[in-house]
Amino acid sequence: MAFSAIEPAPPAQMPTSRRALLMGMVALPLAACPAPVPAAGAAPAVSDPEWDRLYAAYRAAQVEEVERLAVFAPLDDAWGPGSALCEPEPTRPTIAPYDMSLPIGEAIAVAAGPDWEARWEAYEADKAAWKARDDAAYAAHVGDTGDRYEAACDACSAAVTALMGHPVATLSALAEKAELILTRYGDTVDGDDAKTLIADIRRLAAGEA
């Protein structure tokens, strides 16, 4: 069944690339592109305490998001059609093959049989009852892990929004912002172009550090 508490799309329906990225994340964004060594005789660094605060808040929120997903995802993945944990969904009623020698309306009526409407109504009632049981069993299975993951996603998104909305004062902060865009939205950003841009910014930032 689908997790329905959040989002654009429920956690279980998250695009595979994004979910795999979070599950496989063992380092935070800057680990992939470390800051350059300050150039000899470079000018004193320009500080941006507010950026540093917002970036630290984002990194903490990102860690929380990954940790919460690591707890929720295995439980969610274990649930679904074919799982021993789940009661099988009621089977839709079937009809006989059409007799194509008959007019189409008569062929459908004959194939469905006189009790088709009653059988379909019984199926819908059975499915509704099954869905209620399945929802309750799923909720008991995952507990509050889905809600905790949802809250972590919301917190991380809020941290990203705050960070991206902050006008950076240094090239190093600009590089971090570009890295953040590549890390969070890499599936919609040209990775090679973004990495080239980050390298250019880092090279310029070496002179200000």
Side-chain angles (χ1 to χ4, degrees):
M1 67 159 275
F3 181 79
S4 58
I6 349 185
E7 19 164 329
Q13 303 300 319
M14 177 186 295
T16 303
S17 59
R18 171 74 176 138
R19 185 164 179 165
L21 172 65
L22 286 175
M23 288 299 291
M25 196 176 288
V26 293
L28 295 171
L30 289 185
C33 188
V37 177
V46 178
S47 64
D48 187 351
E50 180 61 10
W51 171 264
D52 293 341
R53 183 190 70 78
L54 291 171
Y55 195 78
Y58 157 68
R59 291 179 64 147
Q62 185 187 46
V63 169
E64 181 76 4
E65 181 184 30
V66 172
E67 290 178 348
R68 293 300 183 190
L69 177 60
V71 175
F72 168 71
L75 295 172
D76 182 64
D77 289 343
W79 195 269
S83 169
L85 298 171
C86 305
E87 175 187 345
E89 182 176 346
T91 304
R92 294 168 61 98
T94 59
I95 63 176
Y98 294 144
D99 181 351
M100 300 309 296
S101 68
L102 299 173
I104 187 62
E106 184 179 349
I108 293 174
V110 169
D115 62 342
W116 170 255
E117 186 173 343
R119 287 194 293 135
W120 184 261
E121 289 177 353
Y123 160 71
E124 289 190 322
D126 287 346
K127 185 174 181 180
W130 166 83
K131 182 67 164 57
R133 293 192 300 272
D134 188 70
D135 287 349
Y138 175 81
H141 172 67
V142 300
D144 66 353
T145 62
D147 290 338
R148 288 176 176 270
Y149 172 56
E150 174 191 349
C153 287
D154 290 344
C156 194
S157 293
V160 170
T161 298
L163 195 63
M164 297 305 293
H166 177 71
V168 297
T170 68
L171 281 171
S172 59
L174 180 58
E176 290 171 350
K177 182 178 281 193
E179 288 165 351
L180 173 59
I181 293 172
L182 183 60
T183 299
R184 294 287 291 186
Y185 311 109
D187 55 343
T188 57
V189 174
D190 187 312
D192 291 336
D193 287 348
K195 290 174 183 176
T196 298
L197 174 62
I198 292 169
D200 286 342
I201 298 171
R202 283 295 189 195
R203 186 166 55 254
L204 293 173
E208 86 175 5

